[in-house]
Amino acid sequence: MHLTEKSYVDDDFADVDLSGEVIEAVRFVDCDFADASLVEVRTKAATFERCRFVGTELYGSSHHGTSFLSCTFERSAWHGATLTGCRLIGSTFTDCRLLPLTIKECDLTLVSLAGAKLPGVDLSGLRMREANLVGANFSSCDLRGADLTGARAERLDLTDADLRGARLDAAAWVGARLAGAVVDVDQAVLFAAAHGLVLTPAE
C-alpha cells in the first residue's frame, strides 16, 4: 500500500503492509494500525495523534521529528528502531519489544513506560517529565542530563545507571533502586535529604 493523502482521520490501517515506506509530513488522527507492518518505515515530521498500534511491527524503522501524541502501543515490536527529535507525549507502551533502541533528543513527557525493559539504553538528555516509569528497568542506562521531574518512579530499576546531571524528585530518590548508580555531588545531597538525613558542615 502507498499513502497518497497528507491527512488521514479515523482511518483503518489494520493488517496493512507499509514496509519500507517513506512517510513525510503526513498527519494521522484516531487511526488504527493494529497488526500492521511498518517494518523499516521512515518517517519525517509526521504526526500520529491518538492512534492505536496493537501488535504492530515497527522494527528497523526510523523517525525524525515525528510526533506520536497520546498513542497506544501494545505488544508492538520496536527493536532496531531509531527515534531522533521526536515527541511521544502522553503515549502508552505496554508489553512492547524495545531492544535494541536508539532514541535521541526526544520528548517523553507524560509517557507510560511502566514495566518497560530498557537496560543499557542511552537515554541521556531525554525529557521524561511526569512519565509513568513504575517497575521499569533502566539498569546501566545513560541518563545524564535527563529530566525525570514529576515522574512516577516506584520500583524503577536504576542499578548501575549514570544519573549525573539528571533531574529527579525526592520521590525518585526514595522509590527507585539505585545500587551502583553514578551520581554527582549535588545529587548525593538530594539523595541524603530525601532519606531524612541532616547535612551539616564538618566541625
Side-chain angles (χ1 to χ4, degrees):
M1 176 181 180
H2 295 284
L3 300 173
T4 58
E5 306 294 331
K6 283 296 183 180
S7 181
Y8 297 88
V9 178
D10 201 25
D11 280 292
D12 187 358
F13 293 97
D15 297 307
V16 165
D17 188 353
L18 291 169
S19 299
E21 286 290 310
V22 176
I23 302 174
E24 185 171 352
V26 180
R27 184 168 181 254
F28 302 87
V29 180
D30 295 316
C31 294
D32 188 0
F33 290 88
D35 297 315
S37 177
L38 278 70
V39 176
E40 297 183 352
V41 157
R42 288 173 290 164
T43 73
K44 183 177 181 180
T47 299
F48 298 85
E49 187 172 349
R50 297 188 305 276
C51 294
R52 296 167 295 280
F53 298 85
V54 179
T56 310
E57 295 181 336
L58 290 138
Y59 58 84
S61 60
S62 61
H63 310 275
H64 297 267
T66 290
S67 296
F68 296 94
L69 308 176
S70 299
C71 292
T72 300
F73 298 94
E74 184 177 342
R75 302 190 310 280
S76 298
W78 279 89
H79 52 285
T82 299
L83 296 103
T84 306
C86 294
R87 296 192 302 156
L88 293 90
I89 298 171
S91 291
T92 302
F93 292 80
T94 306
D95 296 328
C96 294
R97 181 176 175 184
L98 301 171
L99 295 177
L101 180 69
T102 301
I103 181 166
K104 298 181 180 298
E105 302 172 6
C106 291
D107 189 345
L108 281 72
T109 298
L110 294 170
V111 161
S112 177
L113 285 166
K117 295 177 175 60
L118 290 166
V121 175
D122 184 351
L123 304 174
S124 59
L126 297 187
R127 184 182 178 92
M128 289 183 274
R129 294 174 65 91
E130 300 184 59
N132 181 0
L133 307 178
V134 174
N137 183 349
F138 286 4
S139 60
S140 299
C141 284
D142 184 346
L143 283 153
R144 287 176 294 174
D147 186 354
L148 282 71
T149 306
R152 293 183 57 194
E154 302 96 296
R155 305 187 311 283
L156 170 61
D157 189 350
L158 293 173
T159 304
D160 297 325
D162 190 340
L163 300 173
R164 289 173 292 176
R167 298 176 61 187
L168 293 87
D169 291 339
W173 291 117
V174 174
R177 301 170 183 166
L178 293 158
V182 179
V183 299
D184 56 39
V185 173
D186 290 339
Q187 291 171 325
V189 171
L190 292 173
F191 175 86
H195 285 79
L197 300 179
V198 178
L199 302 177
T200 60
E203 294 183 359

